[in-house]
Amino acid sequence: FIPNLPKDYRSLLGTPRQSVLRTVAPGKYTHIGIEKNIEEIFKSNKLNSDIENLLLDLFIDGVKIFDISSEKSFWVILGRLKEIEKFIFPIGFYNGSSQPYNFNDLLADTVLELKKLKNDGIMINGIKIKVILRNILSDSPAHASLSGIKHPTGYSACPYCNVNGRRFKGRMVFPETDCLRRTKINFLERIDPEHHVRDSVLEELDIDIVWQLPLDYLHSVLLGVQKKMLRILFHSDQPLL
C-alpha cells in the first residue's frame, strides 16, 4: 500500500491533460516540438554536449485508424538524432476526417522550428549546438504529398529522374535508365513542370529537396516489391511480369 500513489498512470508519468491544438483542415494538429525533446534527451540521459552539430532525421507517415473502412486519418511526425539513434521522439500529431488538405499547413510548425534551430542553435549545458536536418523519410505517397509532386501513379512521378512513365499491365513503370537526374536546382527552377503539383514549404529549408527525401526501404522494398514477389511465387500461377 502506497498512500501517495496517484490513481491514474497519467499523473505518475506527468502526461499533459491538455494539448495546444491548431486547425489543419479538415482536422487538428498539435506540435510537441524538436527543441523540447532534445533538451529532455540530454537531461534524462546525461549525454555529453561537447558537440557542434546534431544531425536530425524526420519520419512522416499517415494511417487510417479504427478500422479499414474508417475515414479517420492519423499522421505523425517523428524525430531521431544520428548521434543518439536509439531515441525516437514525437514532434507532432495530426488527426482528422481525412488526410490534410494542405500539407504545408501540417509542416508549418516543424519547418519554422528547423530554421530557428539551424540559425540560433540550442543551448545544452551552456554550449550552443546547431540542429541540422539530414533526411526526411517517408513512403512514396507521403513523399509526394510532402514535396508537392505527382503521386506514384503519375506519368512524371519519378522523384529522382526526369523521365516520363508509361502504363504496363495496369501499372506505371519507368523503363528508361539513361535520363536526366533531378537536382535541387532543376527542382526549384521547375524544368519539368509536369512533375509538380504545388509549392512545398520544405523548399524554404536549406536542404536538397530531391536527395534528402529518400523513400522508406520498409515500404518500398519489404512491403512492396518483395511482398508482391513472394505472393506470386508461392500463392499464384501468375507470372512476375
Side-chain angles (χ1 to χ4, degrees), residues 67-111:
D67 58 63
I68 195 168
S69 63
S70 173
E71 292 301 318
K72 281 284 187 178
S73 181
F74 181 76
W75 282 75
V76 60
I77 304 175
L78 303 175
R80 179 189 67 182
L81 297 176
K82 176 182 178 295
E83 292 77 11
I84 323 168
E85 291 188 342
K86 64 179 179 178
F87 295 106
I88 296 178
F89 51 86
I91 295 172
F93 296 100
Y94 162 88
N95 183 36
S97 58
S98 69
Q99 70 177 22
Y101 294 155
N102 188 335
F103 278 82
N104 286 341
D105 290 342
L106 175 72
L107 296 169
D109 293 327
T110 302
V111 169

Side-chain angles (χ1 to χ4, degrees), residues 139-161 163-165 167 172 174 182 187 190 192-200 215:
D139 62 9
S140 296
H143 176 279
S145 297
L146 297 171
S147 53
I149 63 174
K150 290 283 181 68
H151 273 249
T153 55
Y155 284 99
S156 299
C158 179
Y160 304 118
C161 296
V163 57
N164 288 322
R167 293 285 177 184
M172 180 62 64
F174 301 90
R182 299 193 191 279
F187 184 98
R190 304 292 195 266
D192 181 10
E194 295 299 319
H195 181 58
H196 301 266
V197 176
R198 57 169 175 78
D199 293 341
S200 171
L215 295 178

Side-chain angles (χ1 to χ4, degrees), residues 42 47-52 124-127 129:
F42 275 86
L47 300 174
N48 294 327
S49 58
D50 54 346
I51 185 172
E52 295 183 358
I124 302 292
N125 297 331
I127 299 174
I129 303 174

Side-chain angles (χ1 to χ4, degrees), residues 114-158:
L114 284 170
K115 291 193 289 188
K116 177 181 179 297
L117 288 173
K118 182 172 183 181
N119 294 330
D120 301 338
I122 179 174
M123 296 299 295
I124 302 292
N125 297 331
I127 299 174
K128 181 183 289 187
I129 303 174
K130 288 187 177 181
V131 180
I132 299 174
L133 180 61
R134 185 174 67 155
N135 292 306
I136 301 177
L137 300 167
S138 60
D139 62 9
S140 296
H143 176 279
S145 297
L146 297 171
S147 53
I149 63 174
K150 290 283 181 68
H151 273 249
T153 55
Y155 284 99
S156 299
C158 179

Side-chain angles (χ1 to χ4, degrees), residues 16-62:
R17 296 306 178 108
Q18 293 182 338
S19 298
V20 178
L21 298 177
R22 176 171 64 84
T23 298
V24 174
K28 298 289 185 180
Y29 172 81
T30 182
H31 188 71
I32 299 172
I34 302 170
E35 183 173 358
K36 177 181 178 181
N37 275 288
I38 293 176
E39 288 176 342
E40 187 62 31
I41 288 173
F42 275 86
K43 178 181 177 182
S44 60
N45 294 276
K46 298 180 180 179
L47 300 174
N48 294 327
S49 58
D50 54 346
I51 185 172
E52 295 183 358
N53 299 317
L54 288 172
L55 298 180
L56 173 70
D57 292 327
L58 298 185
F59 305 83
I60 305 177
D61 201 4

